[in-house]
Amino acid sequence: MKTLKIADGIYMLTLNVEDILFEGIWEIRNGVTLNSYLVQGEKTALIDGVIGWDGVPETLYKNLEEIGIDPKEVDYLVLNHMEPDHSGWISNFKKIKDDITIVCTDKAARMVESFYGRDNVRIVKEGDTLDLGKGKVLSFHPVPNVHWPETMYTYERSTKTLFSCDMFGAFGVMTDHYFDDELTPEEIDFFELEGIRYYSNILTTYTPSVRKAIEKAKTFEINIIAPGHGPVYRKNPEKIIDDYYRFSLYAKGAGKDEVTILWGSMYGMTAKAVEYIEKILQREGVKYNKIEMPKETISEMIATVFRSAGIVIAAPTYEYKLFPPIATALNELGRKRITGKLAFRFGSYGWSGGAERELHEIMERNKMQWDLIESVEFEGTPREDDLKKIEARVLELIDKMKEKVVEEGQLA
Ligand code: FEO
């Protein structure tokens, strides 16, 4: 764990976590940071909490001591969000100081009781304040359903710091650089993709609520955005707000200027056509990603499809339906409410189709409203005329996806 001063009287305590399934589901190949913050006036508040994934908060206590704070002197625990990556240390903290006051929304208060058996809670509503003394005043601003119902922002007035918890967060561990102005160009690219991974895996289902939270963030005068995961933004906090807005557009069909081939093949027939379209995409100078299911993780599949303006679905018929790993992937994209994507499907069948019917069933059941270019199905291996049809549809996709492209900086 590392401790950094982010403003006068405000510290970040950050911990890198790797080799876990986030939320017990999501493979995070580049890890994640858990950030908590300490605000010191005459009284001291700890905002969101960091513990080891094993639930042991001793490192947090040690780091508090390094900045001259005895854990027993912490007066308030501010809970922006109850998900245990931010709140899991409460039970242990009780052993240190039983009468600590937990500050949270009414919805969180109920969870504090049911998760941790606690009731010494101070419930806050929109605009309520907590004066810590020495000029440090916290105000509280619910942003419900990001991505749980009880979530809120905490804002410190004197330093104009927004503690945003999951909002404006990113996966990816931090090593030497913790602030936006310290990041190298490679690290900026890294956190762009890890921000997309975070948004698409964790928040995208709640995009309408995230949009409201973006609008609320814009009502504050902000010098620093201090999220619960990923870098702190102090040079240009507007950038991460704009990025999050852009990600919210990706959830509704926009994307970067790239194609993702979401594919699976039983015996290589569909794979032949995948190889063929790769040559077309290379010839046309189109950036593309390949996601082969079921070899790739659902987490990476969602993140990659989410950020792409054009999708090629390459999947054969299996048992009169869509190749199951691709059906699973599309259902997961539907559950995440990733709508409006431009897509083209092709695939092989042995003696009868069926994949196409299930593709449409998945789209309708999940109300995905994807813009589907007419599919191409071929019996057995793709012949010359099948490949010509596929080429024409891929060119149509490349042409149409121009309307879907929203790149970084385009919205500023
Ligand atoms: Fe970082 Fe929703 O927890």
Side-chain angles (χ1 to χ4, degrees):
M1 187 184 281
K2 192 160 175 68
T3 308
L4 295 121
K5 185 174 181 176
I6 66 165
D8 241 14
I10 303 185
Y11 297 88
M12 171 168 78
L13 301 97
T14 181
L15 177 73
N16 286 336
V17 179
E18 294 173 272
D19 301 324
I20 57 150
L21 289 177
F22 197 80
E23 295 184 334
I25 309 172
W26 309 108
E27 170 251 6
I28 41 172
R29 59 191 57 181
N30 297 313
V32 64
T33 59
L34 305 178
N35 304 332
S36 61
Y37 298 93
L38 191 102
V39 182
Q40 254 189 316
E42 278 149 19
K43 302 269 187 186
T44 299
L46 190 57
I47 301 175
D48 299 326
V50 165
I51 54 170
W53 213 251
D54 52 4
V56 177
E58 270 68 24
T59 330
L60 170 68
Y61 304 147
K62 194 167 136 287
N63 280 63
L64 287 173
E65 280 162 8
E66 274 172 21
I67 50 175
I69 304 274
D70 179 344
K72 290 190 187 70
E73 288 169 9
V74 174
D75 301 285
Y76 301 100
L77 304 180
V78 177
L79 277 184
N80 281 328
H81 178 27
M82 274 298 296
E83 193 163 15
D85 53 327
H86 306 281
S87 73
W89 45 290
I90 286 179
S91 301
N92 195 286
F93 215 100
K94 186 179 175 180
K95 295 179 205 156
I96 303 268
K97 187 172 182 178
D98 190 40
D99 61 348
I100 193 104
T101 301
I102 296 168
V103 180
C104 61
T105 62
D106 55 349
K107 290 195 179 85
R110 191 168 157 181
M111 293 183 192
V112 171
E113 175 62 33
S114 64
F115 284 29
Y116 305 114
R118 299 286 304 193
D119 55 9
N120 50 338
V121 162
R122 174 165 164 183
I123 291 174
V124 290
K125 304 184 298 302
E126 175 63 45
D128 284 356
T129 57
L130 177 62
D131 191 342
L132 298 174
K134 292 188 182 168
K136 291 284 180 293
V137 179
L138 301 178
S139 62
F140 306 102
H141 308 275
V143 281
N145 297 317
V146 174
H147 51 132
W148 284 27
E150 83 303 351
T151 42
M152 70 174 183
Y153 288 145
T154 295
Y155 180 74
E156 199 292 305
R157 289 180 176 176
S158 68
T159 56
K160 299 182 173 57
T161 302
L162 185 72
F163 300 98
S164 60
C165 201
D166 280 355
M167 276 296 291
F168 311 122
F171 281 137
V173 296
M174 297 189 284
T175 44
D176 296 326
H177 300 145
Y178 300 86
F179 297 94
D180 58 346
D181 52 294
E182 297 175 337
L183 299 178
T184 63
E186 293 73 28
E187 287 169 331
I188 290 170
D189 291 347
F190 173 79
F191 282 111
E192 155 81 5
L193 292 181
E194 290 302 315
I196 287 172
R197 187 191 305 281
Y198 186 78
Y199 188 109
S200 63
N201 283 196
I202 307 300
L203 300 181
T204 192
T205 313
Y206 298 89
T207 287
S209 302
V210 170
R211 286 249 180 103
K212 286 181 190 161
I214 290 169
E215 288 312 309
K216 187 169 275 191
K218 287 180 179 173
T219 65
F220 296 99
E221 203 177 325
I222 295 176
N223 286 344
I224 301 170
I225 290 182
H229 306 289
V232 169
Y233 301 87
R234 65 181 178 188
K235 180 185 164 200
N236 185 7
E238 290 78 21
K239 181 184 180 303
I240 190 64
I241 298 175
D242 290 342
D243 286 348
Y244 254 56
Y245 180 68
R246 177 165 50 88
F247 301 163
S248 80
L249 297 179
Y250 293 174
K252 301 296 166 201
K256 289 173 178 283
D257 192 7
E258 55 193 69
V259 167
T260 286
I261 306 170
L262 174 62
W263 74 287
S265 185
M266 294 162 65
Y267 294 107
M269 311 279 183
T270 299
K272 279 185 194 168
V274 169
E275 284 168 25
Y276 181 77
I277 67 156
E278 277 192 81
K279 292 195 182 79
I280 298 166
L281 292 166
Q282 287 162 11
R283 184 191 75 204
E284 300 296 320
V286 176
K287 184 179 176 190
Y288 68 94
N289 319 297
K290 283 174 77 182
I291 296 287
E292 183 183 6
M293 302 306 289
K295 291 182 184 168
E296 188 49 273
T297 63
I298 292 286
S299 164
E300 178 71 3
M301 182 279 297
I302 290 174
T304 312
V305 169
F306 176 88
R307 70 167 195 255
S308 300
I311 314 297
V312 173
I313 302 164
T317 289
Y318 182 95
E319 294 181 341
Y320 305 100
K321 290 188 172 180
L322 190 60
F323 187 53
I326 298 297
T328 300
L330 290 170
N331 269 312
E332 198 57 43
L333 293 163
R335 283 168 62 109
K336 289 289 184 194
R337 298 184 195 155
I338 296 171
T339 57
K341 289 288 181 189
L342 174 67
F344 160 57
R345 174 192 164 252
F346 61 79
S348 170
Y349 61 89
W351 59 94
S352 147
E356 190 63 12
R357 186 174 57 245
E358 192 181 13
L359 171 69
H360 288 277
E361 281 169 8
I362 292 168
M363 291 287 152
E364 279 162 34
R365 186 169 61 248
N366 293 295
K367 301 184 174 62
M368 292 166 81
Q369 297 177 311
W370 283 27
D371 183 358
L372 296 175
I373 290 170
E374 189 184 352
S375 299
V376 175
E377 295 202 290
F378 45 87
E379 190 170 349
T381 199
R383 305 296 200 283
E384 194 58 32
D385 58 331
D386 300 315
L387 294 173
K388 286 288 162 222
K389 274 191 225 161
I390 287 170
E391 178 171 1
R393 309 278 157 80
V394 169
L395 292 175
E396 186 182 338
L397 180 99
I398 293 168
D399 187 48
K400 277 184 150 180
M401 67 184 259
K402 288 175 195 147
E403 293 165 20
K404 300 270 186 187
V405 172
V406 181
E407 291 283 6
E408 193 179 352
Q410 217 170 305
L411 300 167

